[in-house]
Amino acid sequence: MKSIMRSLSAILIVSIVLLIMINRLNAAQGFSGDNTLTVYNWGDYIDEELITLFEEETGITIVYETFDSNEAMMTKIQQGGTTYDVAVPSEYMVQKMVEEDLLIELDHSKLPNLSNIDERFMDLPFDPNNQYSIPYFWGTVGIIFNTNLLPEGMELTGWHDLWDPALENQILLIDGAREIIGMGLNSLGYSLNDTNPEHLYQALEKLEELTPNVRAIVGDENKMLMANNEATIAIGWSGDAADIMGENEAIDYLVPEEGSNLWFDNFVIPKTARNIDGAHQFINFMLDAEIAAQNTEYVSYSTPNKEALQFMPEEMVEDERFYPDPELTDRLEVYENLGQRNLAFYNELFLQFKMYRK
Ligand code: SPD
């Protein structure tokens, strides 16, 4: 009898361990079950307390995975074998995903909190009527700088200042092909959506000339490096600047006078989603004014949720560097979906630039 009991306990333990392993494996590969929801978001882009709150309120378990570029996110979804229920591409990638038939049409009747979004961020050209995407955060690309470390007498106004030899080994670049090739293009007076190969090669050459000033090409580590006074300048997203400012008072941010990028990150539901209802619930939860305010305070990026603003600190909402008025944003460019070949060309040139540095 004892040995039967022992065998039964052993079988039970092995089964439990197997179940846990299968569950973990599924979670790691982005497989959603009935009561799970797999969310695929940029790194450092949510207050994780809200994930727990959503789980408690709905009984749905969230499997949360992160990416660090639109291209990485797209490749993973295209390759298949995952079942992300919610993803967060930027505008040009939304367009590309729609074109490649990777997204489901959203059911706005399940998103009553959508009315909290400022009209100004709705119905944008990359997704008319918000058929496939819902605004999450927005911002600009610009120059994050440390006022204590800037070379004496230097007045930063635009991209052209970055080539100053006084900035040798002092600049961090965000690891994004569109952002950095775009900076090369903008500094030559070309559009961020330029696809003329001659202009693109000129931009590459211009970037190669910047090499002596480039300390590193980095992702989210830019925030830690700038907060710790380890570089004078970082080229990156406005929200990162706002975040670093919370850690280091010497940090400031400007949008270059030659022009720059205005971007929008958005919730979408990929076609392979298993929990479409849960995905709508999650998006609607994140659109709630108080939830969006808490998330925005935590993440530091600019929210398109106009009802959230009343729950946020005044100094945050009134900071024109992060909530610039339309006069500034109107002169910025939004990335367009340039098509497979041109996007591949941008990526190839960016890779060449990275190799040149080595
Ligand atoms: N750490 C979160 C970064 C999210 C930035 N998204 C900006 C994309 C601009 N194309």
Side-chain angles (χ1 to χ4, degrees):
M1 187 64 181
K2 256 192 187 162
S3 72
I4 295 179
M5 286 305 282
R6 239 182 264 132
S7 312
L8 280 176
S9 322
I11 292 172
L12 193 68
I13 291 169
V14 170
S15 314
I16 291 173
V17 169
L18 271 176
L19 270 175
I20 292 173
M21 281 170 65
I22 290 170
N23 219 358
R24 291 231 170 116
L25 197 66
N26 280 349
Q29 294 179 342
F31 291 122
S32 320
D34 274 349
N35 220 21
T36 51
L37 187 78
T38 310
V39 176
Y40 196 29
N41 194 1
W42 294 81
D44 282 355
Y45 220 27
I46 197 165
D47 177 353
E48 295 196 5
E49 257 184 28
L50 295 174
I51 296 182
T52 311
L53 189 62
F54 177 80
E55 290 178 326
E56 283 166 5
E57 277 186 13
T58 60
I60 295 174
T61 302
I62 291 194
V63 177
Y64 193 75
E65 272 190 51
T66 60
F67 57 84
D68 55 16
S69 72
N70 278 297
E71 288 66 26
M73 180 269 319
M74 176 70 167
T75 308
K76 191 122 184 240
I77 289 183
Q78 259 171 336
Q79 275 168 351
T82 55
T83 53
Y84 295 119
D85 295 301
V86 176
V88 187
S90 305
E91 65 302 299
Y92 71 99
M93 210 39 98
V94 169
Q95 242 176 341
K96 188 163 156 60
M97 292 176 97
V98 171
E99 210 173 271
E100 299 197 12
D101 202 19
L102 292 174
L103 302 182
I104 70 153
E105 274 189 45
L106 301 173
D107 182 348
H108 286 200
S109 73
K110 292 186 177 155
L111 303 171
N113 291 334
L114 189 52
S115 58
N116 291 341
I117 299 289
D118 190 331
E119 283 296 311
R120 184 177 154 213
F121 298 100
M122 295 291 290
D123 194 23
L124 294 176
F126 62 88
D127 181 23
N129 302 319
N130 295 84
Q131 224 177 330
Y132 298 96
S133 68
I134 301 297
Y136 181 49
F137 282 116
W138 66 281
T140 54
V141 170
I143 304 178
I144 307 167
F145 58 102
N146 185 318
T147 50
N148 288 342
L149 300 180
L150 270 189
E152 189 128 340
M154 181 176 278
E155 276 274 331
L156 276 182
T157 57
W159 296 125
H160 61 275
D161 294 314
L162 302 180
W163 277 259
D164 190 320
L167 288 171
E168 187 177 351
N169 203 29
Q170 278 312 309
I171 303 178
L172 303 170
L173 300 180
I174 196 78
D175 192 0
R178 293 286 313 246
E179 283 77 4
I180 301 308
I181 299 295
M183 174 176 91
L185 288 166
N186 259 180
S187 64
L188 292 166
Y190 297 135
S191 157
L192 288 176
N193 295 306
D194 202 322
T195 54
N196 179 334
E198 209 177 295
H199 296 171
L200 285 161
Y201 279 123
Q202 284 173 26
L204 176 63
E205 251 174 58
K206 181 85 184 161
L207 288 173
E208 286 172 353
E209 287 164 18
L210 184 68
T211 302
N213 289 2
V214 177
R215 163 85 57 93
I217 301 178
V218 285
D220 283 330
E221 319 87 272
N222 65 352
K223 292 190 273 188
M224 190 259 295
L225 292 168
M226 288 301 286
N228 293 341
N229 301 309
E230 289 190 40
T232 307
I233 287 180
I235 304 309
W237 299 305
S238 47
D240 283 353
D243 196 14
I244 307 163
M245 280 172 196
E247 307 270 317
N248 184 336
E249 285 187 348
I251 301 298
D252 202 351
Y253 176 76
L254 73 88
V255 175
E257 62 188 5
E258 297 92 333
S260 188
N261 168 234
L262 171 68
W263 55 263
F264 307 94
D265 287 342
N266 312 274
F267 289 121
V268 296
I269 306 184
K271 263 211 164 139
T272 51
R274 295 253 176 95
N275 191 351
I276 294 174
D277 202 53
H280 282 90
Q281 279 184 66
F282 178 75
I283 296 171
N284 195 51
F285 171 84
M286 295 304 294
L287 290 174
D288 173 88
E290 288 182 67
I291 298 290
Q294 179 178 332
N295 198 32
T296 305
E297 266 198 70
Y298 182 89
V299 172
S300 299
Y301 275 70
S302 313
T303 181
N305 192 315
K306 67 171 186 309
E307 296 304 324
L309 302 179
Q310 63 189 301
F311 299 110
M312 288 164 49
E314 234 168 72
E315 69 270 16
M316 203 170 177
V317 176
E318 280 168 9
D319 192 329
E320 293 218 346
R321 291 168 297 187
F322 308 114
Y323 291 89
D325 62 36
E327 210 173 283
L328 173 89
T329 50
D330 284 353
R331 68 173 178 83
L332 302 181
E333 277 183 289
V334 178
Y335 297 140
E336 287 163 18
N337 172 24
L338 304 175
Q340 181 67 28
R341 274 186 43 194
N342 290 318
L343 282 180
F345 192 44
Y346 268 65
N347 290 335
E348 195 187 305
L349 291 179
F350 187 47
L351 206 65
Q352 272 187 48
F353 170 59
K354 290 194 203 178
M355 302 289 286
Y356 180 87
R357 294 187 59 248
K358 289 191 176 142

